[in-house]
Amino acid sequence: MRKKELELVLAPEVAFDAQQLEREILKSAHLKPEDVKFLHRIKRSVDARGREVLVRVRADIYLDNPPADILSPRYHYPDVTNARRVVIVGAGSAGLFAALRCIELGLKPVVLERGKDVRNRRRDLAAINKEHTVNPDSNYCFGEGGAGTYSDGKLYTRSKKRGDLQRILQILVQHGATPDILFDAHPHIGTNKLPKIIEAIRERIRAAGGEVLFERRVTDFVVEQGEMRGVLTQDGAAYMGEAVILATGHSARDIFELLHAKGITVEAKPFAMGVRVEHQQSLIDHIQYKLEDRGPYLPASSYALVHQTHYNDKQRGIFSFCMCPGGFIVPSATAPGEVVVNGMSPSRRDSRFSNSGIVVAVELEDMDLKNHGPLAGLRMQQDLERKACAMAGGTQAAPAQLLQDFTGRKTGGPLLETSYQPGLVATDMNALFSEDMGYRLREGFKAFGSKMRGYLSNEAQIVGVESRTSSPVRIPRHRDTLEHVQVKRLFPCGEGAGYAGGIVSAAMDGERCAEMAAMKLGVRVSE
């Protein structure tokens, strides 16, 4: 096999134009198109560290036929109509990828989703934004595709040891995602394109004989002799299987309550809470790229920030979370009487606004474990979300304050224009948070202002509250088998169980849980 490996440093207008990029790669390799059997683009990343913004590109050129695994694989899904059944609770990233993997392994997935399919779910999202009405079963967190469908659609993760990252991306491409996600250092699909991909995955499951059922909220578990046999839904129906994969997402509080009430072990888990900060995207571009205008080729710039704070002899990190360049702040409450915000971006990231969660770590010692036990973190979330709702008037309007006024503990002036559709209410945000959390947020923003000059100003505003960063509960499982530590044939999975943090890591965990469930049933799982 003859292969040339290339590493190039290119101008953005070359790196982000497919035809120019291919010409530049061939030119650098001193080759003509007819000399090449396959051009494998490996990685593209923006480098804004120097005076000039550049793009680094890695590529392999195969002069002979490349290995089979280099070509975009097409995964095979056999007919499992009459196969052994695995019940999957939740049709988010973890649940859908668990279902696909079950089919590959010859098992029939029965996916139960409390919310609606992506098309009908949009009406409930519109009702939140326009009428301030929250449907507890269909919202930005619940429904087909889970919270990821109407989030930013980021596809990168630090948890690469949990599974085959490239395989997850390839499956997304097979179901309609752009092949660029296989190439970009920080791949992103966008909330406008994710629904069609999710629909394609659903139809793939159904075409293979699996089931995907909507408006099926689980209300009870069927446990016999220490083994999970199935679940009951709100309409009284029973769905039985030889294993249950629990992939309900980080906001399924009723499931955490149900597990605890039935004596099925759950644990409190560290998480983080804070606010969303919103800037003009042009300001973030100017800070990061050092350009007045990023032009038509460079993507909207992002940032990642972290700072350690000290209060009452306790150190806690404050950090940016789910940064959404060219995006929108969206309402993510899952029940009336609470206000929660999150961020999302369309595929082009062409909104005038940038936003990011800025959150403070919450450790076990910060929770009231004595009174609330394993649900102590959940109670902290609820208390803050309800307080935010009350302070902003009891609707889905969110409390907000100009950033520099918040850090200076000043009464603020009029708020800025915002991407948050339900609207903002000017509030003293320091009154919303406990003294220690408020202090850590103020100190963090000051530190971030030193790292990114122009970031800390009243040309930005904070919006509350960002409280659903991850699950405040862990559903413990055996390290090797991924089976629950107490109940056999129950496989806690994804973000809701405390084992993932985003679309890709949840998908990888879903696949692993499907494989472990299959092995429990005696199915041979190849590497």
Side-chain angles (χ1 to χ4, degrees), residues 457-479:
S457 78
N458 276 347
E459 294 302 307
Q461 58 195 357
I462 59 171
V463 180
V465 292
E466 171 72 79
S467 52
R468 308 286 180 93
T469 55
S470 64
S471 176
V473 172
R474 178 175 286 111
I475 307 173
R477 65 191 189 187
H478 290 291
R479 182 185 182 93

Side-chain angles (χ1 to χ4, degrees), residues 197-231:
I197 296 168
I198 296 299
E199 285 180 325
I201 292 174
R202 175 230 301 163
E203 292 309 311
R204 176 82 65 181
I205 293 167
R206 287 177 170 172
E211 297 181 33
V212 183
L213 305 173
F214 299 106
E215 299 182 77
R216 301 295 202 281
R217 174 166 40 86
V218 168
T219 56
D220 206 353
F221 302 115
V222 180
V223 182
E224 298 175 356
Q225 298 180 333
E227 293 190 339
M228 187 70 73
R229 294 297 183 182
V231 300

Side-chain angles (χ1 to χ4, degrees), residues 402-421:
L402 299 180
L403 178 56
Q404 205 162 22
D405 288 345
F406 170 73
T407 58
R409 307 199 74 162
K410 299 177 182 177
T411 301
L415 296 173
L416 307 171
E417 187 180 358
T418 182
S419 65
Y420 184 73
Q421 290 188 30

Side-chain angles (χ1 to χ4, degrees), residues 101 105 514-519 522-527:
R101 190 69 180 121
L105 296 170
E515 291 168 358
M516 293 299 109
M519 291 174 66
V523 175
R524 185 175 180 274
V525 178
S526 59
E527 293 295 330

Side-chain angles (χ1 to χ4, degrees), residues 330-333 338-342 385 396 420 464-468:
V330 296
S332 293
E338 60 190 31
V339 166
V340 184
V341 295
N342 193 8
E385 293 163 7
Q396 283 301 295
Y420 184 73
V465 292
E466 171 72 79
S467 52
R468 308 286 180 93

Side-chain angles (χ1 to χ4, degrees), residues 96 117-120 122 144 175 194-205:
L96 292 175
D117 63 76
V118 288
R119 188 176 299 275
N120 288 310
R122 289 173 183 156
E144 186 176 19
H175 291 89
L194 274 165
K196 288 187 177 181
I197 296 168
I198 296 299
E199 285 180 325
I201 292 174
R202 175 230 301 163
E203 292 309 311
R204 176 82 65 181
I205 293 167

Side-chain angles (χ1 to χ4, degrees), residues 38 51 56 68 108 111 142 162 181 299 434 444 446 450 472 505 525:
F38 185 72
R51 293 182 179 179
R56 299 183 181 276
K108 177 176 180 173
V111 182
F142 299 147
R162 294 183 181 179
I181 67 172
S434 63
K446 292 173 186 176
S450 297
S505 61
V525 178

